[in-house]
Amino acid sequence: MRFEGKRVVVTGGASGIGKATVEAFIAEGAQVMMGDLNSEAGDAMAADSRFDNRLAFQTTDVCDVDNLKSLIDNAASHFGGIDILFNNAGAGGASETIDEITAEGWDTTMNLLLRSVALGTRFAVDHMKEAGGGVIINTSSINAHEAGWGPVAYATAKAAVRHLSKISAAQLAKFNIRVNSISPGFIMTNIFANSFEDPTEAQQVDTAIRAISPMAQPVSRSGAADDIAQAVLYLCSDQGGFVNGTDLTVDGGITVGHRHSWDENSPGLLDLIQENVGGNS
Ligand code: NAI
């Protein structure tokens, strides 16, 4: 019960990583206010008797500045303050490559993934100052570390979230507020299927992703939302009290190095040279 008496705000709490984190915080004694676009799923969670009235939900679009501020201010008045903020809501955003991206796609993606994190922090800090301190966790991604995992606007926003977290940690330390980011790897949630409008295509993508996910990284099982939730709780706990301004990658080792370093069936450069030499001799 590391979070008994703690007051937590989670954005994007109605699904995937956010939902698992809401559940984990409540299991360890916290009270949680969650905001999400998905009213149906949010209302159903808030009505779930397992949460023993320790979960409140407010329909929120984190791209709407007034909406986001209202979520945070209402959480503070509902609970009498805020101790922890998890800026987590997100989606794939604009899918175009840099040679095709539109201004609208770029701005929408940045507002969802980056501006919401900056302003969520901005609004929560007023309440955390009153509480004498707090902890903020921002969801970045392995896209912030390497190319090749997602679209350019998404990856750029996530890299900025990682850096924003570092700067925020520096600027907010004097208020006793710690800020870290977390970089999930390939985690089995709805985010991939949700990028497809056609339900049949979405279902096919979901099935394919679930089939390949255990083979995607050195740890030979799928990444689960709770893997990220447990890391978020560590960063917010007293045990994580000396961790500040850093990014915690939780990816089963997918970014450990080239695939051939851990997958003996994947040819490395030396294997390719060897094969070529063999072919020519
Ligand atoms: P998810 O699709 O299961 O959950 C995302 C939640 O955010 C949904 O409940 C959705 O309704 C909500 N949301 C989307 N736009 C919103 C908005 N404008 N306002 C409020 N709520 C909104 O996806 P998942 O995977 O749990 O994603 C959570 C975070 O993790 C995102 O920031 C995502 O970019 C990040 N992430 C996910 C990875 C994965 O492999 N699943 C990998 C790296 C990062």
Side-chain angles (χ1 to χ4, degrees), residues 68 87 112-122 138 161 164:
L68 181 58
N87 281 310
L112 171 62
L113 297 174
L114 179 57
R115 191 181 71 177
S116 69
V117 175
L119 293 182
T121 300
R122 164 71 189 88
N138 301 321
V161 165
L164 169 65

Side-chain angles (χ1 to χ4, degrees), residues 12 14-18 36-38 60-63 88-91 112-113 139-141 154 158 184-187 189-192 194:
S15 171
I17 291 168
D36 201 293
L37 264 184
N38 187 339
T60 309
D61 180 355
V62 298
C63 299
N88 166 73
L112 171 62
L113 297 174
T139 307
S140 181
S141 165
Y154 180 95
K158 291 298 190 182
F186 190 29
I187 308 297
T189 69
N190 296 327
I191 199 167
F192 308 102
N194 283 349

